[in-house]
Amino acid sequence: MTVASVPSGEADDILVVDGLRHSYGETLAIQDLSFRMQRGEIFGLLGPNGGGKTTLFRILSTLLAPTAGRASIGGHDVVREPQEVRRQIGVVFQAPSLDVKLTVRENMVHQGHLYGLHGAALDARIDEMLGRVAMRERADARVETLSGGMRRRVDLAKGLLHRPALVLLDEPTTGLDPGARLDLWSYVSDARKRDGLSVLITTHLMEDAERCDRLLIVERGRIVALGTPDALRESVGGDVIVARTRDPEALAVAVRERFGEDASVVDGALRVRRARGPEFVPQLFDAFPGQIEAVSVGKPTLEDVFIQYTGHRLWDGEA
C-alpha cells in the first residue's frame, strides 16, 4: 500500500524513476520502482539493509545498469547519458572515499581535477566548501589524523565541490555520534538554502528519516509507502499500545476474540492500534488480570509506520 505523493511536473523533477528493476542472477534486488523527486527536496529512502536501497543508489550514480526500466537525473538518462548525469550529481558513499595518507586539501584538489577545476578557481572553491563544513583550519592535516565525524564532513565537501544539482548520500550518519549527526544535517540544510541543492538520502535510521521532506519506504526491493513523515504517521491512525506478557501469541488471539481488535505480535510483544488508546488500557488489564506485565501507549512513529506496512520491525527485515 502506498501513500499518494505530491504531484509534480517533469520540469520540477530532478529525478524520475520509472519501472526500475534489477536482479543479481536469480535474486531480484529491486522490483518495478517508480517515483519522482522534486528539485530542492530532501528525499529519503528508508528500509532495512538488503532491502534494495544500495542497488538503487548504485544505479543512480551510474555504477550499475538496471535490468529493466529507466531513471533520469536532470533530464538525462543514467544509462544512455552517464557523463551528463555525473555532472549533475555529487556522491557521498557509505564507505569513506578519502585517501587517508593525503591531506584534506590534497583530497579536495584531486576531486576538483576530476571535474575539470584548476588553479585559482579550484583553490577558491576548496576554501569555500571546507569553510562550509568547518574544516578550513584542518585543510593541511592528513586525513588519517581526523575523527570519523571530520572525515564525513570532508566527504560531504568533496561531494559538493563542483556544485551539483543533486547529492546522493548513502547512509551518511551511520557510525557518527549524535553531535556529528547534527553537524552533518546542518551542513546539508545550509547547502540546500544557499544553492537550491536536492538531496537523496538512503538510511535505516529513523532520526535521519524524520528530517526528510518525503520518504519512500522500501521492503525487499518494493515500494510499500510514500509520503511526508507526518502523512505516513497519520496513515497508521489512532494510538499504538504495546503490552509485554509471557505469552504474546495467546494474548493476541484473546484480544482479537474479546475486542475485535487487529492485535499482532511484533518483537515479542503484543501490539494493538486503536483510537483513544489510554482509555483501552484499563480494559485490557480488567479482561486479562495478571497476564500483562507492562504496557505503553504512544502516537505512531515512523517505526510504527514501517511495522504497519511490512508486518515487522525495520531491523527484523534485514536480509
Side-chain angles (χ1 to χ4, degrees):
M1 180 178 180
T2 59
V3 178
S5 61
V6 179
S8 63
E10 188 79 28
D12 297 327
D13 297 323
I14 185 65
L15 169 63
V16 176
V17 174
D18 185 16
L20 210 60
R21 295 167 61 89
H22 190 76
S23 59
Y24 298 99
E26 296 182 356
T27 302
L28 196 57
I30 54 175
Q31 309 179 44
D32 300 318
L33 293 186
S34 297
F35 65 92
R36 293 184 173 198
M37 176 183 167
Q38 293 181 294
R39 293 182 184 275
E41 191 172 28
I42 297 180
F43 191 94
L45 300 176
L46 175 66
N49 292 331
K53 304 189 309 296
T54 299
T55 296
L56 176 60
F57 188 92
R58 294 183 67 200
I59 291 172
L60 297 181
S61 56
T62 74
L63 296 178
L64 183 67
T67 304
R70 61 179 292 271
S72 63
I73 294 175
H76 300 285
D77 189 277
V78 298
V79 174
R80 296 195 304 269
E81 304 171 275
Q83 293 297 337
E84 292 299 327
V85 168
R86 290 168 192 158
R87 293 186 182 96
Q88 296 275 325
I89 64 173
V91 183
V92 179
F93 293 103
Q94 182 176 0
S97 62
L98 303 171
D99 188 324
V100 298
K101 295 301 182 181
L102 298 181
T103 67
V104 170
R105 186 178 299 278
E106 287 168 342
N107 272 275
M108 296 289 285
V109 167
H110 283 297
Q111 179 77 359
H113 289 170
L114 292 175
Y115 285 92
L117 299 172
H118 298 277
L122 175 57
D123 291 339
R125 189 76 60 84
I126 290 173
D127 285 343
E128 177 189 354
M129 291 305 166
L130 290 182
R132 287 197 190 186
V133 298
M135 288 298 295
R136 188 179 291 154
E137 293 183 359
R138 302 301 301 273
D140 296 320
R142 285 192 179 184
V143 170
E144 63 186 356
T145 68
L146 304 179
S147 67
M150 288 181 177
R151 295 185 190 192
R152 211 59 176 147
R153 292 190 217 169
V154 179
D155 257 330
L156 180 61
K158 275 183 58 183
L160 299 179
L161 186 63
H162 61 291
R163 300 195 194 282
L166 169 68
V167 65
L168 308 176
L169 306 178
D170 190 16
E171 304 282 359
T173 67
T174 298
L176 299 184
D177 61 54
R181 288 183 183 177
L182 288 175
D183 286 343
L184 187 75
W185 274 108
S186 175
Y187 305 138
V188 170
S189 298
D190 178 67
R192 177 165 76 157
K193 290 177 183 177
R194 292 192 191 204
D195 308 322
L197 182 70
S198 305
V199 181
L200 177 68
I201 174 175
T202 70
T203 187
H204 62 271
L205 301 176
M206 296 301 172
E207 180 183 345
D208 288 344
E210 289 284 1
R211 297 177 180 273
C212 297
D213 298 318
R214 283 193 301 155
L215 280 174
L216 178 70
I217 299 179
V218 292
E219 161 75 348
R220 300 187 185 278
R222 294 189 178 95
I223 295 174
V224 296
L226 172 61
T228 67
D230 286 343
L232 290 171
R233 280 189 292 267
E234 290 173 4
S235 73
V236 174
D239 298 313
V240 176
I241 302 161
V242 178
R244 294 287 174 181
T245 179
R246 289 184 295 275
D247 191 347
E249 295 288 352
L251 186 58
V253 172
V255 168
R256 287 193 289 267
E257 293 176 349
R258 178 70 177 270
F259 297 103
E261 296 292 342
D262 184 16
S264 60
V265 177
V266 178
D267 198 25
L270 173 74
R271 200 176 194 91
V272 180
R273 181 168 49 87
R274 179 186 171 110
R276 297 192 296 275
E279 298 176 13
F280 183 60
V281 171
Q283 299 178 48
L284 275 179
F285 279 100
D286 290 342
F288 309 106
Q291 297 187 45
I292 299 175
E293 300 170 353
V295 67
S296 63
V297 183
K299 293 297 181 184
T301 64
L302 288 178
E303 178 75 11
D304 296 314
V305 172
F306 191 87
I307 292 170
Q308 172 72 15
Y309 287 110
T310 67
H312 59 80
R313 295 172 67 89
L314 182 64
W315 299 104
D316 298 335
E318 292 195 351

